[in-house]
Amino acid sequence: MDVDVRDAVEADAETLGAIVDLPADALRNVVHDRTVRLAVERPSDPGPNADTAGDDAETVHGFVAFDVRNGTVHVTQLAGDATVAERLLAEPIRFALNEGFDVEFVVPESDVDAETAAEAAGFDPVGPGPEFQGEPTTRYRFRPRE
């Protein structure tokens, strides 16, 4: 699947909330407080000979949210299938490479798509992370190669 990546805006909060099953207000705060990038599939151009008007809405396939603390980029949320998630992880990696930072990402044990995406994007598992709602996590780190 070929997706475009764009910055999230406040109007995306409802869609993001539906993806991760959280209230839109919580995602509105994420959009304001962090860098949030969306993987979107734009509607195809029906061409000049189309008989019907097309749907102008884009389809959101996932998102990544990240911020920087103490010289490390922290991925705080990732949603999407493994292929989309891997594409989205390129966003915080690109930022980190430009700034000379590492990237950290904590993945719940049950999130196979995020685990697959992290490993495919070049993250290494570096040990256990904190429990989230009683679920074990793994801490992943991306270090720029020299």
Side-chain angles (χ1 to χ4, degrees):
M1 166 188 336
D2 188 32
V3 295
D4 291 329
V5 176
R6 69 166 175 83
D7 288 323
V9 295
E10 187 173 317
D12 295 315
E14 290 284 337
T15 300
L16 301 180
I19 290 171
V20 293
D21 197 25
L22 289 171
D25 286 342
L27 274 296
R28 194 168 288 111
N29 289 336
V30 170
V31 169
H32 289 189
D33 296 341
R34 293 182 172 80
T35 300
V36 181
R37 307 280 285 158
L38 304 179
V40 297
E41 185 177 0
R42 303 210 188 266
S44 61
D45 182 3
N49 298 322
D51 291 339
T52 60
D55 181 6
D56 289 340
E58 64 188 10
T59 302
V60 176
H61 290 282
F63 73 96
V64 64
F66 58 97
D67 62 7
V68 177
R69 293 185 307 274
N70 303 321
T72 300
V73 177
H74 294 271
V75 175
T76 58
Q77 289 182 296
L78 180 67
D81 69 27
T83 303
V84 168
E86 180 183 355
R87 170 67 180 90
L88 287 165
L89 285 173
E91 299 298 312
I93 289 171
R94 182 177 14 264
F95 178 82
L97 290 173
N98 286 336
E99 300 298 325
F101 297 153
D102 291 344
V103 185
E104 282 199 358
F105 181 31
V106 176
V107 178
E109 225 174 54
S110 64
D111 195 343
V112 176
D113 284 330
E115 178 182 337
T116 301
E119 291 176 3
F123 284 77
D124 296 314
V126 294
E131 286 191 6
F132 287 145
Q133 298 176 337
E135 182 176 2
T137 64
T138 300
R139 184 178 307 276
Y140 285 85
R141 183 172 275 271
F142 179 92
R143 290 184 175 96
R145 308 289 188 241
E146 291 160 22

